[in-house]
Amino acid sequence: MGALSVAISVFFVLRLVRVDAGSGKMKEIATYIKEGSDAFLKEEAKIMVVATAFLAALIFFAVGWQNAVSFLAGSLSSALAGYVGLEVSLRANVRTATMALKGGIKPAFSTAYQGGKVMGFFVVGIGLLGIGALYAAFQDPLDMVGYMFGASLMSLLLRVGGGIYTKGADIGSDLVGKVEAGIPEDDPRNPGVIADNVGDNVGDCVGMGADLFETYAVTLITAMLLGYLVKGGTAFEAIPLYVAGGSVIAMLVGSFFVVPSGSRVMNAFYKGLTASALLALVIDYFLVGHFAGLYFAILIGTLVLMAMYAFAEYFTSYEFRPVRRVAERSQTGAALNIITGMANGLKSTVFPVIAVATAVLAVFILNGGLTSSIGNGVYAIAISAVAMMSLVGMVISIDTFGPITDNAGGIAEMAGLPSSVRENVTDVLDSVGNTTKATTKAYAIASAALASLSLFAGFELELPKSMLSQLLVYNPLVLVGMFIGGVVPFAFTALLMDGVGVAAFGIVNEIRRQFKIKGIAEGEVKPDYAACVDITTRVALRELALPALIAAGTPVVVGFVLGPLGLSGYMFGAIVTGFPLAIWMTTGGGAWDNAKKYVESGVYGGKNSEAHKAAVIGDTVGDATKDTAGPAVNPFIKVMVTVSVLFAPIIVLVHLL
Amino acid sequence: MGALSVAISVFFVLRLVRVDAGSGKMKEIATYIKEGSDAFLKEEAKIMVVATAFLAALIFFAVGWQNAVSFLAGSLSSALAGYVGLEVSLRANVRTATMALKGGIKPAFSTAYQGGKVMGFFVVGIGLLGIGALYAAFQDPLDMVGYMFGASLMSLLLRVGGGIYTKGADIGSDLVGKVEAGIPEDDPRNPGVIADNVGDNVGDCVGMGADLFETYAVTLITAMLLGYLVKGGTAFEAIPLYVAGGSVIAMLVGSFFVVPSGSRVMNAFYKGLTASALLALVIDYFLVGHFAGLYFAILIGTLVLMAMYAFAEYFTSYEFRPVRRVAERSQTGAALNIITGMANGLKSTVFPVIAVATAVLAVFILNGGLTSSIGNGVYAIAISAVAMMSLVGMVISIDTFGPITDNAGGIAEMAGLPSSVRENVTDVLDSVGNTTKATTKAYAIASAALASLSLFAGFELELPKSMLSQLLVYNPLVLVGMFIGGVVPFAFTALLMDGVGVAAFGIVNEIRRQFKIKGIAEGEVKPDYAACVDITTRVALRELALPALIAAGTPVVVGFVLGPLGLSGYMFGAIVTGFPLAIWMTTGGGAWDNAKKYVESGVYGGKNSEAHKAAVIGDTVGDATKDTAGPAVNPFIKVMVTVSVLFAPIIVLVHLL
């Protein structure tokens, strides 16, 4: 199934590259973007090679060679997923722009979606192949914990680095270009324009690709691990792979249902997703229908997936009240836009958390009841998460669509295509992109919560029995661990927001400096794009270290000081605060973005009105929350939990308190 | 000691009212403010009488008459603390303004601080008297749980109602007055000016008075309760009262050390606080020195108090880097001001949480070790919290100083006093007020975390033994409870932010309407102040219901559905997320406010520069987070925990899962 999925992916690549890549000017711009991306990724790769080599050696000596191999495989696959995402997107961008010019909305849509499909099937394929190969080689899920750690750490690095890069460049360029100099977004006179477009690629495409790959891999391996630890039968270890494999077929069929018709582009995606989900449920019935409890878990996982889409669309699409209220308040200036948007984001956390909590409760009740022991229930939770993640290919296709159309719009602007291309085609598609981005992130973090919960149980199962009965919420070590764990996501998101601030501030000063040079603002002298690319590259890589260290290092420190009990509390505290924090930041940000788009659609004075200026400020704040800080929480939590599971055996032996 | 404290308070009142209350014009304005405050409080009181009567009846039938009486006593005392705060502040405002005019900074400082002392000693006195009387009557701390619930519920209502009122009025008036019409703050031509000043009183004074009273009462009774439940000796029930009583003497002496000298007004407060703390430690040594563990707990509690002051000052004073960075970024517009400010606030959560966690760990280690049983350790934690809260009188004196000087500035402006009064005296004192406000809130929430932890242990002790051993973090009910509890503070703060948005939006529209009437903007026609007062009153009272219902209702619902295990998880989840959320909002807000003040001091172009406009937007956002949403988290958590303890016996008997 993994091979099939990769094959499908290759097929779509071949179809994609046959599409016309456009004029010389467009190709030139695409080349600039590619060069900038490559430069950044090369620098990033250097750091990663060092970090990965160091950690692989550490794992080799502390845990064993199997996990060291798994770790390297996981890191590599995650990086590959990100890199392919980038390459596909770079090719799809320019072709989508060309199609938007030549054929209008329908061919542009199908080209962009083509790109998304390549990515979706590739991520699923590489995941299934890697996990399948390791399982065939080691026959023991405990040896595959390293794969999870590698995948999530790589994804974290790509998310954080790319996230700071993309939003630093984006915000910096907009603040001087759009707001101060009054030139349009993506105008070639803006010295930050290439950095901005590079950012879209290294942030949205690479980051999201690695992130969803990691979530997919962690979810699958966690379920296999629990199949081994809890159920103790190879049949149960294999079920996650069957379910994931079945969904490849389901998604292949489902993807034919994605046909835009009528005015709501979003509906096309819903049709495809629903078709895939229903077909997957049918296939799963034949695979695991004889375990009624597990089948219900799959059903519940699928329902959570749908619920996340529905709620995220409600809170981020301007067809509904929350975004409209943010837009309405913008009439009184930026302050009430921000206050209302913050309230909106905070409010949006309630439904996902309640949905996940209810799902957990229901799965437990249907799988052995609400006993305190770690047993059938947690395995079923893991299977729920697998059901949810097995459709990730579809989710990725829908999601990648967003940055591709966004970038296509950028290329259209920079290449001087007629403004109708942007207004009638790419902007329309892009506003859908804002919603799909938010839905994907809600989906990713919700499934991450389920997967982390199960993985957490995997950690507990590595502890001696006598310790398990001490994992009481009122145990001082658990208490203290939980407090500390609870605050860590705050610290982590703070560092990311701060990184964006630093990068953007640097870009602003650089662009202001260049605009003082005669001719640049007038478009007569070519700006020094590379200077801006350098700044964001430097800042992004510098600001990468501390968040990564917190993610991978603190669990080890907490484990050695507070022991396994403290570490358990720590992990749980981080999940409890990280989940709503991530939802708040991503959904809130999506709402700010679309509130601006709503004003641009002509209400409250439309573009360039006071309301619009206020909405732009909210949108900018949302950029940092939704594209940098919020989505990084997902790999962040996963790194913390996987590193804990990996080092659990040593921590059990050696700890201070 | 309670009577002594009240007597001290009355003494300072008498000294305060002897101070000259100023000219006819100033008295007239003070009268307007008083009328508006009274009107709001009258409406609020109606709702509270109904709610209190209903709950008292419920407690009477469900729990017993003793707790019903305690509940009424607690509600009444809390309301009284708030009301006295208001009355004192109303009298101190105008006198401070007069002294600022007549004598400059020193007499103005001492008048404002005089008002603060009245409030501080009154809160402590009324708390000690009420708790002492109930203890004398019932001889059983379990009968005093109602007092805690009453005090915290009343404080929650006053905080939420007052918070939405004050910031709705403040933001609304500023947005049209200062930003659009370009007239100064507190200008009498602004139709919202009276509502704004009323808000300062009903929000900052009433809210903070009731809030700190509630924290004081809950901390003391919790310690007494654990003395009873854990230690089972009347000596241990009485220790909290001794410690609190000893601190009354310490504060009386310490207050003489508050003498402004040199340029840093803040230093005067530090001297007074340090003197009180040291003296209290000496007194406590004679009281409980023979219990070494407990004495260390007191020492640690005092250190936490000092640490909270230090960290909050670092993050909110413009003498340090965090605030300066926010100000620096404002040069690029509001977006980076908000992003940097958010990052700043998120970052500021780390230190308080780590400090509290370390303190908890240390207290446990020094009092019976890190066992999983609920024993000496939690009692010692409660005593730590008592030590921290016993100095609340000092903290209140310092805190009340802020709104008094703020309001004095308002009166100076409205009464047309020379601008030097504002610039050289009240503004200088007020900027210190921003920092003291943030320090008080950090102190309140940190001590609330300690008190809630202990109270949580009190809840566990009401459960049957068999259930205690099931309170495992991986128990499904605990897990689910924790997830739900973790998201509730997000929902709660969202509603409060939203309430501010609604109120401010209403005020903006009303002021815009009035400014269209000829003569109002020119100062020839007296604006309709009452219309704005009406809007904020209506919105604040309407938006009060849902947050209060969530606080008091959800624990009961969760308890009945998920049972005591789920409810335990729920409480703990709420503490884990509520604590950092509150710190983030209050400290972040204080930093935004002082970043604006820093720009106003002349850097980055000073007043009316682009940087200043950006900083004003950040400040406005911070208003909603630091004066409405953030501080309300403290009583919110307390209401949830006390209602759980109160209804624990019934929940143990009746629950669904």
Side-chain angles (χ1 to χ4, degrees):
Chain A
M1 279 301 156
L4 171 66
S5 194
V6 173
I8 298 169
S9 171
V10 172
F11 170 75
F12 285 123
V13 169
L14 294 177
R15 274 188 57 181
L16 180 66
V17 292
R18 286 219 319 267
V19 175
D20 181 2
S23 70
K25 174 83 180 159
M26 286 162 78
K27 279 185 188 153
E28 184 198 327
I29 290 160
T31 310
Y32 279 138
I33 298 176
K34 178 140 178 51
E35 282 170 9
S37 308
D38 287 346
F40 174 68
L41 291 176
K42 217 172 118 189
E43 289 302 314
E44 209 177 20
K46 281 184 205 160
I47 297 177
M48 284 173 183
V49 167
V50 176
T52 310
F54 168 76
L55 284 168
L58 185 72
I59 295 169
F60 178 82
F61 290 110
V63 187
W65 68 269
Q66 294 92 336
N67 269 305
V69 171
S70 292
F71 172 74
L72 288 175
S75 310
L76 218 67
S77 308
S78 190
L80 191 63
Y83 189 71
V84 168
L86 172 72
E87 291 294 319
V88 168
S89 149
L90 286 172
R91 280 165 183 76
N93 297 341
V94 62
R95 287 173 173 82
T96 301
T98 311
M99 284 299 113
L101 173 67
K102 289 189 175 170
I105 207 157
K106 281 213 174 177
F109 176 92
S110 92
T111 308
Y113 179 57
Q114 200 91 258
K117 274 195 288 193
V118 173
M119 187 62 191
F121 283 102
F122 182 77
V123 163
V124 168
I126 199 85
L128 283 177
L129 280 180
I131 294 169
L134 281 179
Y135 186 56
F138 297 141
Q139 304 279 344
D140 182 353
L142 272 178
D143 288 336
M144 294 158 71
V145 174
Y147 192 85
M148 299 199 272
F149 178 49
S152 46
L153 184 65
M154 189 53 73
S155 146
L156 178 77
L157 293 172
L158 292 170
R159 257 286 179 224
V160 173
I164 293 176
Y165 190 111
T166 178
K167 290 302 133 176
D170 184 10
I171 294 173
S173 309
D174 283 359
L175 281 180
V176 195
K178 277 206 293 198
V179 180
E180 284 181 20
I183 58 178
E185 182 153 359
D186 294 322
D187 191 290
R189 285 169 291 176
N190 192 330
V193 73
I194 297 293
D196 183 8
N197 277 276
V198 168
D200 287 349
N201 288 303
V202 299
D204 290 345
C205 299
V206 178
M208 183 48 85
D211 184 359
L212 286 177
F213 169 78
E214 168 266 321
T215 310
Y216 187 66
V218 169
T219 307
L220 253 60
I221 297 179
T222 298
M224 294 168 73
L225 188 67
L226 288 175
Y228 171 74
L229 291 172
V230 174
K231 296 285 212 171
T234 45
F236 291 102
E237 291 171 30
I239 285 179
L241 293 175
Y242 293 152
V243 172
S247 288
V248 173
I249 313 277
M251 288 186 292
L252 184 59
V253 178
S255 70
F256 291 107
F257 286 82
V258 180
V259 184
S261 68
S263 59
R264 288 190 85 238
V265 181
M266 198 66 198
N267 281 347
F269 291 133
Y270 276 128
K271 267 188 271 173
L273 191 63
T274 312
S276 308
L278 288 177
L279 188 56
L281 282 176
V282 171
I283 297 174
D284 292 337
Y285 183 77
F286 291 104
L287 292 172
V288 297
H290 47 298
F291 301 116
L294 285 187
Y295 189 69
F296 275 117
I298 289 175
L299 188 65
I300 289 168
T302 312
L303 286 176
V304 172
L305 162 62
M306 290 300 181
M308 290 298 138
Y309 264 78
F311 108 82
E313 198 195 348
Y314 175 72
F315 273 100
T316 60
S317 159
Y318 63 63
E319 292 173 35
F320 302 101
R321 212 172 118 76
V323 172
R324 294 200 171 193
R325 278 181 82 192
V326 177
E328 187 193 13
R329 301 275 168 78
S330 305
Q331 294 173 88
T332 63
L336 283 192
N337 168 294
I338 303 278
I339 290 174
T340 310
M342 273 176 77
N344 195 30
L346 288 166
K347 218 183 277 179
S348 74
T349 61
V350 176
F351 307 94
V353 173
I354 300 275
V356 167
T358 312
V360 169
L361 207 58
V363 171
F364 266 105
I365 290 175
L366 294 165
N367 287 275
L370 297 165
T371 54
S372 324
S373 64
I374 299 177
N376 293 335
V378 282
Y379 177 69
I381 296 280
I383 293 295
S384 262
V386 168
M388 207 173 157
M389 277 316 290
S390 73
L391 297 169
V392 74
M394 201 69 206
V395 173
I396 294 176
S397 331
I398 296 174
D399 185 83
T400 312
F401 174 87
I404 291 176
T405 52
D406 187 3
N407 253 324
I411 292 173
E413 181 79 39
M414 286 185 282
L417 300 191
S419 67
S420 65
V421 168
R422 188 148 192 155
E423 279 161 23
N424 302 337
V425 184
T426 60
D427 274 2
V428 174
L429 296 178
D430 185 29
S431 87
V432 178
N434 278 330
T435 297
T436 60
K437 266 161 113 176
T439 53
T440 306
K441 283 162 192 164
Y443 159 83
I445 187 73
S447 64
L450 287 176
S452 309
L453 266 187
S454 331
L455 196 50
F456 175 69
F459 173 80
E460 305 309 338
L461 287 171
E462 294 201 51
L463 305 186
K465 274 254 154 49
S466 63
M467 219 168 231
L468 270 186
S469 62
Q470 281 180 278
L471 259 171
L472 298 154
V473 278
Y474 53 82
N475 178 294
L477 291 167
V478 176
L479 276 181
V480 167
M482 220 175 288
F483 265 115
I484 299 177
V487 83
V488 167
F490 283 82
F492 177 77
T493 49
L495 290 173
L496 267 62
M497 300 278 295
D498 226 22
V500 172
V502 173
F505 193 58
I507 289 286
V508 165
N509 292 331
E510 171 63 23
I511 299 181
R512 281 187 181 162
R513 186 190 67 79
Q514 290 201 27
F515 271 166
K516 282 189 198 129
I517 298 167
K518 213 177 125 59
I520 288 189
E522 295 74 30
E524 291 151 10
V525 179
K526 203 183 109 182
D528 182 4
Y529 298 133
C532 291
V533 170
D534 278 354
I535 290 174
T536 39
T537 302
R538 230 176 31 242
V539 174
L541 295 178
R542 194 183 60 210
E543 303 282 322
L544 189 65
L546 194 54
L549 211 64
I550 290 180
T554 52
V556 178
V557 174
V558 168
F560 283 128
V561 175
L562 300 182
L565 295 178
L567 183 54
S568 300
Y570 179 84
M571 278 190 276
F572 209 73
I575 301 174
V576 167
T577 60
F579 182 16
L581 210 51
I583 296 274
W584 166 52
M585 290 192 158
T586 52
T587 312
W592 266 314
D593 198 341
N594 274 338
K596 182 195 71 174
K597 287 230 154 54
Y598 185 55
V599 173
E600 286 173 355
S601 78
V603 294
Y604 308 130
K607 266 198 174 177
N608 302 320
S609 62
E610 286 303 313
H612 185 241
K613 280 181 200 155
V616 166
I617 292 175
D619 171 40
T620 311
V621 173
D623 273 344
T625 64
K626 79 176 195 296
D627 292 326
T628 308
V633 173
N634 173 11
F636 172 67
I637 289 178
K638 243 78 77 44
V639 167
M640 295 211 299
V641 182
T642 52
V643 82
S644 305
V645 175
L646 195 59
F647 289 98
I650 312 173
I651 289 168
V652 169
L653 292 177
V654 190
H655 54 265
L656 187 68
L657 294 177
Chain B
M1 279 301 155
L4 170 67
S5 193
V6 172
I8 298 168
S9 170
V10 171
F11 169 74
F12 285 122
V13 169
L14 294 178
R15 271 187 57 181
L16 180 68
V17 292
R18 283 218 320 264
V19 175
D20 183 0
S23 70
K25 174 81 181 163
M26 285 164 76
K27 279 187 187 154
E28 186 197 328
I29 290 160
T31 309
Y32 278 139
I33 298 176
K34 176 139 177 53
E35 281 171 10
S37 308
D38 286 348
F40 173 68
L41 291 175
K42 219 172 116 187
E43 289 303 313
E44 209 178 21
K46 281 184 203 161
I47 297 176
M48 285 172 180
V49 167
V50 175
T52 311
F54 167 76
L55 285 168
L58 185 72
I59 294 169
F60 179 81
F61 289 110
V63 186
W65 68 269
Q66 294 91 337
N67 268 304
V69 170
S70 293
F71 172 74
L72 287 175
S75 311
L76 217 68
S77 307
S78 189
L80 190 64
Y83 188 70
V84 168
L86 173 72
E87 291 293 320
V88 169
S89 147
L90 285 172
R91 280 167 183 75
N93 297 342
V94 62
R95 288 175 172 81
T96 302
T98 310
M99 285 299 114
L101 173 66
K102 289 189 175 170
I105 207 156
K106 281 215 174 176
F109 176 91
S110 92
T111 309
Y113 179 57
Q114 198 89 261
K117 276 196 285 192
V118 173
M119 187 62 191
F121 282 103
F122 183 78
V123 164
V124 168
I126 199 86
L128 284 177
L129 279 180
I131 294 170
L134 281 178
Y135 187 56
F138 297 143
Q139 304 278 344
D140 182 352
L142 273 177
D143 288 336
M144 294 157 71
V145 174
Y147 192 86
M148 299 198 272
F149 178 48
S152 48
L153 184 65
M154 187 55 71
S155 146
L156 178 77
L157 292 171
L158 292 170
R159 257 287 179 222
V160 173
I164 294 176
Y165 190 112
T166 180
K167 290 304 132 174
D170 184 10
I171 294 173
S173 310
D174 283 359
L175 282 179
V176 195
K178 276 206 292 199
V179 182
E180 284 182 20
I183 57 178
E185 182 152 0
D186 294 323
D187 191 288
R189 284 169 294 175
N190 192 329
V193 72
I194 296 294
D196 183 7
N197 276 277
V198 169
D200 287 348
N201 287 303
V202 300
D204 290 344
C205 300
V206 178
M208 184 47 85
D211 185 357
L212 287 177
F213 169 77
E214 168 265 323
T215 310
Y216 187 64
V218 169
T219 307
L220 253 61
I221 296 179
T222 298
M224 294 170 74
L225 187 67
L226 287 175
Y228 171 76
L229 292 172
V230 174
K231 297 284 210 170
T234 44
F236 292 101
E237 291 170 32
I239 285 179
L241 293 175
Y242 293 152
V243 171
S247 288
V248 173
I249 313 276
M251 289 186 292
L252 184 59
V253 178
S255 70
F256 291 107
F257 287 81
V258 181
V259 185
S261 68
S263 60
R264 287 191 85 237
V265 181
M266 198 69 198
N267 281 348
F269 291 132
Y270 276 129
K271 266 187 270 172
L273 192 62
T274 311
S276 308
L278 288 177
L279 188 55
L281 282 176
V282 172
I283 297 174
D284 291 338
Y285 183 75
F286 290 104
L287 292 173
V288 297
H290 47 298
F291 300 116
L294 285 188
Y295 188 69
F296 276 117
I298 289 174
L299 188 65
I300 291 169
T302 311
L303 287 176
V304 172
L305 161 63
M306 290 299 180
M308 290 299 138
Y309 264 77
F311 108 82
E313 198 195 348
Y314 175 72
F315 274 101
T316 60
S317 160
Y318 62 63
E319 290 173 38
F320 302 100
R321 211 172 120 74
V323 171
R324 292 199 173 194
R325 279 181 82 191
V326 176
E328 186 193 14
R329 301 275 166 78
S330 304
Q331 294 173 88
T332 64
L336 283 192
N337 167 294
I338 303 278
I339 290 173
T340 310
M342 273 176 77
N344 194 29
L346 288 165
K347 216 182 279 176
S348 74
T349 61
V350 176
F351 307 94
V353 173
I354 302 276
V356 167
T358 312
V360 168
L361 207 59
V363 171
F364 267 104
I365 290 174
L366 294 166
N367 286 273
L370 297 165
T371 55
S372 321
S373 64
I374 300 178
N376 292 337
V378 282
Y379 176 69
I381 297 281
I383 293 294
S384 262
V386 168
M388 206 174 157
M389 277 315 290
S390 73
L391 296 168
V392 73
M394 202 69 205
V395 173
I396 294 177
S397 329
I398 298 173
D399 185 82
T400 312
F401 175 88
I404 290 176
T405 52
D406 188 5
N407 252 323
I411 292 173
E413 182 78 40
M414 287 186 282
L417 301 190
S419 67
S420 65
V421 169
R422 189 150 190 151
E423 280 161 23
N424 301 339
V425 185
T426 62
D427 274 1
V428 173
L429 296 178
D430 186 28
S431 87
V432 177
N434 278 330
T435 297
T436 60
K437 266 161 112 176
T439 52
T440 305
K441 283 163 193 164
Y443 159 82
I445 189 75
S447 64
L450 287 176
S452 308
L453 266 188
S454 331
L455 198 48
F456 174 72
F459 173 80
E460 305 307 340
L461 288 171
E462 293 202 50
L463 306 186
K465 275 253 153 55
S466 64
M467 219 167 233
L468 270 185
S469 62
Q470 281 181 277
L471 259 171
L472 298 153
V473 276
Y474 52 81
N475 179 295
L477 290 168
V478 176
L479 277 180
V480 167
M482 220 175 288
F483 265 115
I484 299 177
V487 84
V488 167
F490 284 81
F492 176 77
T493 48
L495 290 173
L496 265 61
M497 300 279 292
D498 226 23
V500 172
V502 172
F505 194 58
I507 290 285
V508 165
N509 291 332
E510 171 62 23
I511 299 182
R512 282 186 180 165
R513 187 190 68 78
Q514 290 201 28
F515 272 166
K516 283 190 195 128
I517 298 166
K518 212 178 127 55
I520 288 188
E522 295 75 29
E524 291 151 9
V525 178
K526 204 183 107 184
D528 182 3
Y529 298 132
C532 291
V533 171
D534 278 355
I535 290 173
T536 38
T537 302
R538 232 174 31 241
V539 174
L541 296 178
R542 195 182 59 212
E543 304 282 322
L544 189 65
L546 195 54
L549 210 63
I550 290 180
T554 52
V556 178
V557 174
V558 168
F560 283 130
V561 176
L562 300 181
L565 295 178
L567 183 54
S568 300
Y570 179 85
M571 277 190 279
F572 208 72
I575 301 175
V576 167
T577 60
F579 183 15
L581 211 50
I583 296 275
W584 166 52
M585 290 191 157
T586 52
T587 312
W592 267 314
D593 198 340
N594 275 337
K596 183 196 71 175
K597 287 229 152 59
Y598 185 55
V599 174
E600 286 173 355
S601 78
V603 294
Y604 308 131
K607 265 198 174 177
N608 301 320
S609 64
E610 286 303 311
H612 186 242
K613 280 181 199 155
V616 166
I617 292 175
D619 171 41
T620 310
V621 172
D623 273 344
T625 64
K626 79 177 195 298
D627 291 327
T628 307
V633 173
N634 173 11
F636 173 67
I637 289 178
K638 245 77 79 45
V639 167
M640 296 211 298
V641 183
T642 52
V643 81
S644 304
V645 175
L646 195 59
F647 288 98
I650 313 173
I651 289 169
V652 170
L653 293 177
V654 190
H655 55 266
L656 188 65
L657 294 175

